[in-house]
Amino acid sequence: MNLGESAVAVLEFDARTAEVARAVADRLAMFAGAAVGPLEKSAGHESVPDGSGLADGHPGIALSLLHAGRALDEPKLIDAAQALLRRSAQATAERPLSGASLYGGTAGFASVLLEFSAYDRRYLPSLRRIADRLGEQIAAEPRPEPGEGLPVAAFDVISGAAGQLAAAVRLCSALEASPGDPIHTAAERLTEYLLRVTEPDSRQRFGWFTSPDYYSAYPGYEEQAPHGMYNLGFAHGLPGIVSALCVAAAAGIGGCGPAEHLARTTAWLVEHQLADDVPGAAWPNLLRAQEETGLPVAPLGQRSARAAWCYGAPGIGIALLSAAKVLGDTALEATAVGALQRVVDWAPAERHIFSPNLCHGHSGLLAVYQRAHAVTGSASFRAMAEDSLQAVLSLADEARPYVVVDEPRRGELVDDPGFLNGAAGVLLALCGVLAPRATGWDEIFFLTPA
C-alpha cells in the first residue's frame, strides 16, 4: 500500500466510525425526546425505578449525547442531552436518590453533572448543591467494618466506597472544596474506610475478604469459593479499590496512607497472578479462601478471567498502570504493560468478548487500550484499540432499536440504551475516537484521569 492508499484507508475508517456514532446518537436522541417515565429494557429486563442511575438510567444517556453533539458538531444532540438531564433532575427532586453509589446513586448523577458543568458553567450552582447532598449521604451511610468478611458492595466501584471516593475527589477538585465542606469530609472518610479495608488483620487476612454469608447477591460463588473469596474484578474487587486510592493519593487526601496501601495492595495483586508459561500477567475472577484461615489459596488450576473491564487483565492492567504512575514504580508499570499485552497476544476467541458494550464488551476494550496508548505510547495498544473499534463497528445493526445490542450470554440479546451495558456507553467510546477531548468521560469509567 502506498502513502496515498494508506491515507484514504484512514479516512474511510473515520467515516464509518462517524456514521455508526451518528446512527446511535440519533436513536438515543429519539429516546430522549420520548422518555417521560422509567427507562425500559427489552427481553424481560426490569425497568429502572426512576431512570436516574448512571449505569442504565437517563444521566448516562445524557452524557453520551453531550459528547456526541460536540464530537459530531450536532447542536441538536446537545439540546437532547440537556433536556434528558433536566428530566432526570426532576425525577430526583420528586424521588431523591436514596444511595450514594457511583452506578446507581447520587455519585453517578453528580459525576455526569460535573461533565455538563465543564461544558456550561451555568450548571455549577446545581453541581454545588448535589455535591453537598452527596457528602451528607456518604456521611450518613452505614459501612460494615472489616473483620469476618464484607459484601463487595461495601467497597467496590459499582455500589461501594471505591466509586464514591473517586466521584467525591473529582467534585472536591472541580469545586475547590475546603476541609470541612461536606464533600471534602466525605472524601476523607471514604479514604479512611478504604485504608481499613486494605489493612491486614492479625492473621494477614485483608478486609476485602468476602465470606459466604454475602453470596446471596452473587449466584455461582458457592461452588467456586465455598469458604469465602477475594474478588479480583475491577468492577467489584481489589483493582477498583486500587484506582480509588490512586485518586486519593494524587489529591493528597489521607496523607501518606493511600500511597503506602497502594504499594502493599499492588504487590499483593502481582504476587497472586496466575503461574503459567505464557508471557504477561493474568488473573482469575477471584481467589478462593482457605477454610481454616480465610487466607487466599494460590490460583493453581484456575482459568484466566475473560478479557474485559469488569473482570480480567484489561481492568486490572489499567488499575496497575495508574498505580505505577502514582508510585513512580517502573517494575509495576512493566507488569501492567505485560498484562495488557498478554490480552493483545491472545486469539480473539480466547478473550471471550462478543458484546459491543463497555462493561464486558469491545467498547470496554477500546476505552482500555485508548487509555493505555495515551499513557504508554505503545503502538501495540493503539493497534488493539483499532481492532476493538472495528469489532464494535461490525456489530452495528440499524435494524435494532439502538443500533447496537448487548449480548450478556451467547444468544441472549438485550436492546439497552444505557451507559454500562448499552448503546450510550458504545457511543461514548466512539466519541473518544472521533474527538480526543471526548475521552475525558473515561475518568468516570476508570476512576483516575489519564
Side-chain angles (χ1 to χ4, degrees), residues 263-289:
R264 179 186 299 154
T265 54
T266 54
W268 189 96
L269 267 172
V270 173
E271 178 186 352
H272 288 87
Q273 64 184 281
L274 291 172
D276 56 28
D277 297 327
V278 181
W283 293 264
N285 285 339
L286 57 85
L287 293 180
R288 298 185 294 269

Side-chain angles (χ1 to χ4, degrees), residues 195-240:
L195 294 183
R196 294 197 297 276
V197 168
T198 51
E199 185 72 29
D201 63 18
S202 59
R203 293 183 288 174
Q204 295 303 302
R205 186 177 65 182
F206 285 95
W208 70 85
F209 165 73
T210 296
S211 66
D213 301 337
Y214 299 107
Y215 282 179
S216 59
Y218 311 100
Y221 284 161
E222 297 91 341
E223 293 182 6
Q224 295 183 65
H227 308 300
M229 61 96 173
Y230 293 81
N231 195 297
L232 298 182
F234 189 101
H236 293 298
L238 180 59

Side-chain angles (χ1 to χ4, degrees), residues 3 42 61 93 97 114 118 127 138 140 207 211 219-220 236 247 296-297 299 318 385 423:
L3 183 61
S42 67
I61 301 169
L97 291 164
L114 177 57
L127 183 66
I138 289 171
S211 66
H236 293 298
V247 177
V297 178
I318 213 70

Side-chain angles (χ1 to χ4, degrees), residues 5 86 96 238 251 371 373:
E5 289 172 338
R86 283 195 301 271
L238 180 59
R371 165 69 74 95
H373 171 67

Side-chain angles (χ1 to χ4, degrees), residues 54-56 60 63 103 358 417-422 424-426 428 441 444-445:
L54 171 63
D56 50 10
L63 178 66
Y103 278 87
L358 284 178
F419 172 86
L420 193 57
N421 291 310
V426 174
L428 282 164
W441 71 269
I444 297 175
F445 196 45

Side-chain angles (χ1 to χ4, degrees), residues 364-386:
L365 288 182
L366 171 55
V368 165
Y369 282 92
Q370 271 199 289
R371 165 69 74 95
H373 171 67
V375 173
T376 67
S378 166
S380 177
F381 293 166
R382 178 174 180 174
M384 180 66 175
E386 292 174 348

